[in-house]
Amino acid sequence: MVEDTEKRRRAAHLGPERRRPMLLDAALEVFSANGYAGTTMQSVADAAGVTKPVVYDCFANRDELLLALLAREEQHLVTSIVSALPADPSIGTPEEQVLDGLTAFLTTAATNPQSWRIVFGAQYGAAPAVSERVRAARAFLVEGLRLTLLKSLPGVTDPDANLPVLAELLASMTEACARMLVVDGTDRTPPELAKVVSQVVGGGFGNV
Amino acid sequence: MVEDTEKRRRAAHLGPERRRPMLLDAALEVFSANGYAGTTMQSVADAAGVTKPVVYDCFANRDELLLALLAREEQHLVTSIVSALPADPSIGTPEEQVLDGLTAFLTTAATNPQSWRIVFGAQYGAAPAVSERVRAARAFLVEGLRLTLLKSLPGVTDPDANLPVLAELLASMTEACARMLVVDGTDRTPPELAKVVSQVVGGGFGNV
DNA sequence: GGAATTTCCTACGAGCTGGTAGGTTTGTCA
DNA sequence: TGACAAACCTACCAGCTCGTAGGAAATTCC
């Protein structure tokens, strides 16, 4: 995509330290377009305007590149979610807190679609190490939701029994909304979707 | 896995017509163990105790093999779901009908984990044609759920606005339960999970 | 200005994949 | 029994991937 007829210019003399973030940017771009299987060292090098050995000077192998990318984007998402949350989390009813959390999460997903994709979009088709890391990131989120839910439903009759299932259902609904926003391109806004989910939770989870 | 020290015996003289289902069985096995990327023509041939050209005598190329497998397993799932549904679908309250549908779906998923995996477990990492086919199968299910929901909530205030979102949420919860059964290995039974989801739907979806 | 070092590039090897050509075995049918 | 066709196998090619060796350019430091 850079230049076809003429030979590409020699890349700037930056060194691994400054080159690494640029390679991660390129990898994110390639991944968004082609998924895990299509994210080869060659394609990342091309996207960064560099040759393959340069990539290997910055990352030992393909798995390390993908893990580094995953870690950076996961951190990016977490930071964004935290900064979108209200300053004082103890304000409001439990249901409002759930709404706040969902809104923060979905807003983050909608405004960082590429980061979202790599963490939630494609755990299959990756190497075992990467795939495991993705599962861990998702489990981290589900655990957070479980804790929120625990506060939101203090008087539930049989907490041990169904709470994990409910937390998983909430997580899956949240992911579904994020998918609508990022992949399918719905016309709803993140707060609208968050409201729908929180209403379902408020009305339905007490029933169980 | 067949024989390492001694040379494998020549395979039986069956011909493409009788060989095809055996190859699909082998492909399903390989896919369950290694996913789309790991389902190579060589590995399928090995699993079937046959050489690669035999596979190419039955399927023109890799995509056709995967599409044929997908079609067979999708049909398998549909047949199983239909046969698990009650004979007369007009009996019972709408909420009971939702419960029946969910139970049928989840029971099918739990008893046909390999078929479920290939249709719902890994749309990413596959060739575009295959990936598109998987999306179509899922859309087919979501549409069915949307119709069920439409009957179940006749007096909803603003049907056009939120019904697609609710249908998507229901589908994602159903998939989450199936994933718990097939992938994570929960101790809940399909009817138990179906009941939880139907209660959430009954209590929460009217709220929206 | 010139040497030393850092950084990048060209070129290559091993291994695996989809896919094919052509010979060999097995079964059929006269 | 013997010819013929159907089915299978060995051996191979092109292409792509990861990953590496060693040489050319840019920078730094004296």
Side-chain angles (χ1 to χ4, degrees), chain B residues 107-179:
Chain B
T107 303
T108 292
T111 52
N112 303 274
Q114 289 183 324
S115 301
W116 184 87
R117 259 175 200 274
I118 200 172
V119 177
F120 289 98
Q123 53 258 54
Y124 306 97
V130 177
S131 176
E132 191 45 48
R133 185 67 203 280
V134 173
R135 292 179 79 84
R138 187 176 181 281
F140 180 73
L141 165 78
V142 173
E143 179 61 15
L145 289 175
R146 204 184 68 76
L147 293 177
T148 305
L149 214 62
L150 199 68
K151 289 197 308 184
S152 167
L153 303 171
V156 69
T157 39
D158 197 355
D160 300 30
N162 281 322
L163 215 63
V165 174
L166 292 177
E168 194 70 33
L169 293 183
L170 175 55
S172 80
M173 283 192 284
T174 308
E175 274 191 62
C177 288
R179 200 162 40 234

Side-chain angles (χ1 to χ4, degrees), chain A residues 84-86 88-105 144-145 147-153 170 194 198 201:
Chain A
L85 280 170
D88 185 349
S90 63
I91 293 179
T93 69
E95 191 171 332
E96 282 170 352
Q97 292 172 15
V98 171
L99 177 62
D100 287 341
L102 290 174
T103 305
F105 182 87
L145 289 174
L147 293 176
T148 305
L149 213 62
L150 199 68
K151 291 197 307 186
S152 168
L153 303 171
L170 174 55
S198 78
V201 171

Side-chain angles (χ1 to χ4, degrees), chain A residues 121 124 161-162 168 188 203-204 207, chain B residues 121 124 161-162 172 180 188 203-204 207:
Chain A
Y124 305 96
N162 281 322
E168 193 72 32
R188 308 305 168 87
N207 257 12
Chain B
Y124 306 97
N162 281 322
S172 80
M180 289 185 234
R188 308 305 167 87
N207 255 13

Side-chain angles (χ1 to χ4, degrees), chain A residues 37 120-125 135 138 160-166 168-170 172-177 179-180 183-184 186 188 193 195-197 199-205 207-208, chain B residues 37 120-125 135 138 160-166 168-170 172-177 179-180 183-184 186 188 193 195-197 199-205 207-208:
Chain A
F120 289 98
Q123 54 258 54
Y124 305 96
R135 293 178 77 86
R138 188 177 180 281
D160 300 31
N162 281 322
L163 216 63
V165 175
L166 292 177
E168 193 72 32
L169 293 184
L170 174 55
S172 80
M173 282 192 285
T174 308
E175 272 191 63
C177 288
R179 201 161 41 233
M180 289 185 234
V183 179
D184 306 338
T186 178
R188 308 305 168 87
L193 291 174
K195 194 176 171 195
V196 172
V197 172
Q199 283 175 337
V200 170
V201 171
F205 279 24
N207 257 12
V208 181
Chain B
F120 289 98
Q123 53 258 54
Y124 306 97
R135 292 179 79 84
R138 187 176 181 281
D160 300 30
N162 281 322
L163 215 63
V165 174
L166 292 177
E168 194 70 33
L169 293 183
L170 175 55
S172 80
M173 283 192 284
T174 308
E175 274 191 62
C177 288
R179 200 162 40 234
M180 289 185 234
V183 179
D184 306 337
T186 179
R188 308 305 167 87
L193 291 175
K195 193 175 172 195
V196 172
V197 173
Q199 284 175 338
V200 170
V201 171
F205 279 25
N207 255 13
V208 182

